[in-house]
């Protein structure tokens, strides 16, 4: 049977998550002969290679291919290697920590009418605990995102026209929006297929993970440089003024202390404390109220404005574009 759709999964050193994803793909309602699965490791990864070899030995009827980039370049590069090796006219993308529902691929194939240039997005479900953490709630934003590579499908011709993913986005951040913006700019329709669903369980996260996540903000500058209008329309309508206000108040407090301007120092410090308190409250009001989580929110809320602005300006300097 001619292959109708290829699935591309970038991965790196998460073999058990990947195997869970592959198990979900083995349960697709679409005839297994009609699709192929291409796993691309973002760099050499012996454990993942061994895990997929073992998995495929128990699922010999699956059309399966394992590839690896020579060095670690990020998921954009891994996806490019995957879709360029694909044999089907449709390319479905998901991530190794996702679990496609049984009818996922069939929904995309049924919607496809042979259009040479077409992009489809599906629905993402993020199961949350009864008392979610701030990290869980942030992950749940995937459910309302307009376009994510955890669940999308492109015709191969459309990918060829736009050149696939921009490998300058070397982390898992904004590379999906960059692809979406290229499709929009080229006039390629992006359609939503609600019945194409994947589940995205939230992975356990270390304490203070929100600080590490700020590093991704450097790629906002790159996306803004390439597509300023679409960036403001769909990503960030205005600068994060609350972060700049917190930073300005803290700097004012420090300068006032040095200059022995006691009243100004007191006012600035009070304003800074108030801004941090409001930020902490917003993050806590609908999340877990355990002592550990409350402490994490308090500490990270103090630091996030400084770290976020640092990485955003790092990106602004790196990519030579002013982005507030």
């Amino acid at each position: 049977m001619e292959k109708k759709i290829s699935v591309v999964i970038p991965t790196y050193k998460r073999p058990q998550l990947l195997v869970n994803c592959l198990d979900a793909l083995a349960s697709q309602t679409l005839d297994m002969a009609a699709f192929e699965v291409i796993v691309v490791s973002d760099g050499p990864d012996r454990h993942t290679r061994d895990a997929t070899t073992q998995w495929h030995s128990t699922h010999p009827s699956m059309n399966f291919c394992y590839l690896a980039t020579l060095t670690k370049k990020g998921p954009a590069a891994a996806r490019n290697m995957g879709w360029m090796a694909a044999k089907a006219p449709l390319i479905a993308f998901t991530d190794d920590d996702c679990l496609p529902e049984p009818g996922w691929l069939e929904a995309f194939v049924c919607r496809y009418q042979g259009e040479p240039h077409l992009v489809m997005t599906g629905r993402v479900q993020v199961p949350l605990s009864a008392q979610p953490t701030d990290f869980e709630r942030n992950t749940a934003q995937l459910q309302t995102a307009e376009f994510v590579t955890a669940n999308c499908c492109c015709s191969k011709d459309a990918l060829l026209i736009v050149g696939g993913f921009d490998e300058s986005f070397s982390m898992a951040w904004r590379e999906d929006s960059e692809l979406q913006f290229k499709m929009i700019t080229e006039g390629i329709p992006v359609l939503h297929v609600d019945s194409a669903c994947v589940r995205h369980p939230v992975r356990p996260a270390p304490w203070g993970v929100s600080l590490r996540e700020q590093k991704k903000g450097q790629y906002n500058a790159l996306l803004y440089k390439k597509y300023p209008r679409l960036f403001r329309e769909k990503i960030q309508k205005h600068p994060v003024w609350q972060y700049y206000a917190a930073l300005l108040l803290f700097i004012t407090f420090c300068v006032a202390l040095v200059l022995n301007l006691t009243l100004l120092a007191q006012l600035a410090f009070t304003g800074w404390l108030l801004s941090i308190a409001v930020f902490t409250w917003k993050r806590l009001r609908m999340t877990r109220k355990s002592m550990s989580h409350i402490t994490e929110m308090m500490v990270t809320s103090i630091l996030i404005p400084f770290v976020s602005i640092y990485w955003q300006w790092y990106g602004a300097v790196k990519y030579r574009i002013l982005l507030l």
Side-chain angles (χ1 to χ4, degrees):
M1 178 183 294
E2 183 181 359
K3 292 181 180 63
K4 297 179 179 179
I5 189 166
S6 300
V7 182
V8 174
I9 309 170
T11 189
Y12 187 66
K13 293 188 176 180
R14 301 198 298 200
Q16 187 54 58
L17 289 174
L18 176 62
V19 167
N20 295 340
C21 180
L22 293 174
D23 284 339
L25 289 171
S27 300
Q28 292 294 296
T29 56
L30 185 66
D31 190 323
M32 197 172 287
F35 70 93
E36 64 177 347
V37 175
I38 303 172
V39 169
V40 186
S41 175
D42 178 24
D45 182 356
R46 180 174 59 84
H47 294 296
T48 298
R49 183 196 62 202
D50 293 345
T52 56
T53 298
Q54 182 178 356
W55 181 88
H56 192 215
S57 69
T58 62
H59 299 78
S61 57
M62 173 75 77
N63 294 304
F64 179 82
C65 176
Y66 177 85
L67 303 172
T69 59
L70 294 177
T71 59
K72 186 169 175 53
K73 297 180 178 180
R79 291 191 188 100
N80 281 341
M81 175 177 279
W83 73 259
M84 285 189 285
K87 300 174 183 176
L90 283 179
I91 316 294
F93 295 100
T94 192
D95 296 329
D96 59 5
D97 55 354
C98 291
L99 301 171
E101 289 291 305
W104 180 55
L105 291 178
E106 190 169 10
F108 282 139
V109 169
C110 288
R111 173 56 189 83
Y112 180 59
Q113 302 299 315
E115 300 96 330
H117 308 133
L118 179 68
V119 177
M120 295 175 280
T121 67
R123 181 162 49 94
V124 178
Q125 290 182 337
V126 181
L128 294 178
S129 60
Q131 293 184 312
T133 63
D134 176 69
F135 179 73
E136 287 179 283
R137 287 190 60 80
N138 285 337
T139 304
Q141 292 177 17
L142 289 170
Q143 296 180 133
T144 56
E146 196 173 282
F147 186 93
V148 290
T149 43
N151 187 3
C152 70
C153 182
C154 309
S155 67
K156 191 168 185 178
D157 285 343
L159 289 167
L160 286 168
I161 284 179
V162 301
F165 294 87
D166 184 343
E167 297 181 12
S168 300
F169 294 81
S170 57
M171 296 178 68
W173 189 251
R174 300 304 187 208
E175 82 285 2
D176 43 9
S177 296
E178 195 274 341
L179 179 67
Q180 177 196 13
F181 292 175
K182 281 194 290 197
M183 296 294 184
I184 292 173
T185 302
E186 289 291 336
I188 296 172
V190 181
L191 308 178
H192 183 72
V193 182
D194 192 67
S195 55
C197 179
V198 302
R199 286 186 294 122
H200 191 302
V202 182
R203 304 188 308 276
W207 197 94
V209 63
S210 54
L211 294 176
R212 186 181 65 188
E213 292 289 290
Q214 302 307 312
K215 184 176 182 180
K216 297 176 179 178
Q218 63 183 292
Y219 295 105
N220 287 346
L222 178 56
L223 185 61
Y224 177 73
K225 181 176 183 177
K226 299 185 71 172
Y227 303 97
R229 179 183 61 82
L230 287 169
F231 181 88
R232 286 304 186 197
E233 286 180 5
K234 296 181 177 293
I235 302 295
Q236 185 178 298
K237 296 185 183 301
H238 49 73
V240 282
W241 294 123
Q242 67 270 28
Y243 289 1
Y244 284 102
L247 180 62
L248 180 60
L249 285 167
F250 188 79
I251 292 173
T252 301
F253 163 67
C254 293
V255 172
L257 275 183
V258 172
L259 298 178
N260 201 28
L261 301 174
T262 306
L263 180 58
L264 180 59
Q266 290 175 344
L267 290 173
F269 187 70
T270 300
W272 176 72
L273 278 182
L274 181 61
S275 71
I276 297 303
V278 170
F279 184 34
T280 305
W281 176 77
K282 286 181 178 179
R283 298 174 70 201
L284 273 172
R285 61 178 176 171
M286 297 181 67
T287 60
R288 188 174 301 170
K289 302 303 189 295
S290 67
M291 184 55 65
S292 174
H293 190 248
I294 291 173
T295 304
E296 180 183 4
M297 292 301 97
M298 293 174 64
V299 173
T300 56
S301 293
I302 291 172
L303 297 174
I304 281 176
F306 299 95
V307 179
S308 175
I309 290 174
Y310 167 80
W311 282 114
Q312 183 150 298
W313 278 89
Y314 176 92
V317 172
K318 181 178 181 180
Y319 300 113
R320 301 179 183 178
I321 183 69
L322 177 62
L323 173 63
L324 295 176

